[in-house]
Amino acid sequence: MIDALQCFVAVVELRSLSKAAAHLEFAVSSVSRKIDALEAELGARLLLRRSRQLIVTDAGERFLPRARNILAELEEGKSAVQELDSEPRGLLTVTAPAAFGRLHVAPAIAAFLQRHPLIEVDLHTSDEVVDLAARRVDVAVRAGVLPASDLVAVRLAGLNRVVAASPAYLARHGWPKKPEDLLDHQCLTVSGRLPPRGWWRFDGINGGQPLAVRGKLRCDDTDSLLHAAISGAGIVHLANWLTSDAIVAGQLVPVFPMDPIERSTIEPRRDPGESAIHAVHMPGRSNQAKAQLLIRHLKEYFGSPPYWDLAMEAAGAGERHAP
């Protein structure tokens, strides 16, 4: 099966059976048979082979990134085994969203460097979604819904949003009993663009569309919205990883009951459109073994459930809501 995947990927990339055969050092007839066997296994035509033209079918286009990921994972596994007896070394370039990078990625990388003193990390924190190939990035931490791509993605943690306000604000303005009540409150929102996916959306409310909340303060920086809420300016709908410290400290209070924490030791099957924290990297890069090492460390460091959710649970945050 691995040979068949290699043949399929090589033929697509080189746009030629003969070139793929020469690259892989196989006979052309062998490459053709392996692809025939792969198509039979999948029950779908991946390539249309004509005398002077090779066409990738829709099924082939959809299967191609998965084939690449399988081969990349295999190579990473080989590299990890080969490096068991040698200390990893060299430079890793990492990007992460600004606030998440500051709060969670930077401390995790500090611990990583203590475990691997011969590795250096160049960490860039920015909310810009960068092109990994153009910027020569080894690992990118991304929050939200991942678009379809050829990148290898590893889920690090779930991403849930918390409706929260300061005790002082709730004492002055009252406690919303249900999501629709937010329409009568000062809600702190983003300015200059559409709200991020999931903001002010609630299951079974408003047809799944964002509530048209309003407030006197709008800002394009979520960290600033967090601190404005702590100061009593209004209600926010921010990520669990951003609000956790303030909730544990009692500076903010969850307005509605929080969702129960996932505790399964088996990684559940995920919806591709799920909003989550992921680490992504390019397959086939020379640094992929070190990249995979860092990604495994991030997943271990954050934990499952992630430590920010456990901290809120330990503080009883899920129980502090309107009676």
Side-chain angles (χ1 to χ4, degrees), residues 1 78 108 170 199 214 222 305 312:
M1 176 61 80
K78 289 180 179 178
L170 295 171
W199 276 39
R214 296 179 60 83
T222 54
M312 286 192 287

Side-chain angles (χ1 to χ4, degrees), residues 87-133:
E87 179 66 26
R89 65 184 65 222
L91 175 67
L92 279 174
T93 301
V94 181
T95 67
F100 188 78
R102 174 176 56 81
L103 290 172
H104 302 291
V105 177
I109 288 179
F112 177 75
L113 293 176
Q114 289 182 353
R115 295 172 63 176
H116 304 286
L118 298 182
I119 291 181
E120 298 178 11
V121 173
D122 189 0
L123 174 63
H124 300 266
T125 57
S126 169
D127 291 329
E128 176 189 5
V129 178
V130 303
D131 184 321
L132 272 63

Side-chain angles (χ1 to χ4, degrees), residues 68-79:
R68 285 173 170 156
N69 280 352
I70 292 168
L71 293 174
E73 291 286 352
L74 178 63
E75 285 303 313
E76 289 172 5
K78 289 180 179 178
S79 298

Side-chain angles (χ1 to χ4, degrees), residues 1 16 21 26 36 38 44 59 63 82 88 91 136 154-155 183 191 200 204 226 268 274 290 294 297 303 311 315:
M1 176 61 80
S16 166
F26 290 157
D36 287 342
L38 178 62
F63 183 66
Q82 292 166 357
L91 175 67
R136 302 189 64 81
V154 177
R155 184 183 187 273
L183 297 172
S191 61
W200 308 110
L226 172 72
E274 177 202 28
K290 291 197 294 290
L294 173 60
H297 171 81

Side-chain angles (χ1 to χ4, degrees), residues 11-29:
V11 167
V12 173
E13 292 179 345
L14 297 174
R15 294 288 171 177
S16 166
L17 280 171
S18 59
K19 289 180 181 179
H23 174 71
L24 296 171
E25 299 182 347
F26 290 157
V28 174
S29 58

Side-chain angles (χ1 to χ4, degrees), residues 223-238:
D223 208 28
S224 297
L225 292 177
L226 172 72
H227 288 284
I230 291 171
S231 299
I235 299 175
V236 286
H237 194 199
L238 296 175

Side-chain angles (χ1 to χ4, degrees), residues 206-226:
N206 198 33
Q209 296 303 307
L211 288 174
V213 298
R214 296 179 60 83
K216 295 180 180 178
L217 175 63
R218 295 173 294 280
C219 183
D220 59 0
D221 174 62
T222 54
D223 208 28
S224 297
L225 292 177
L226 172 72

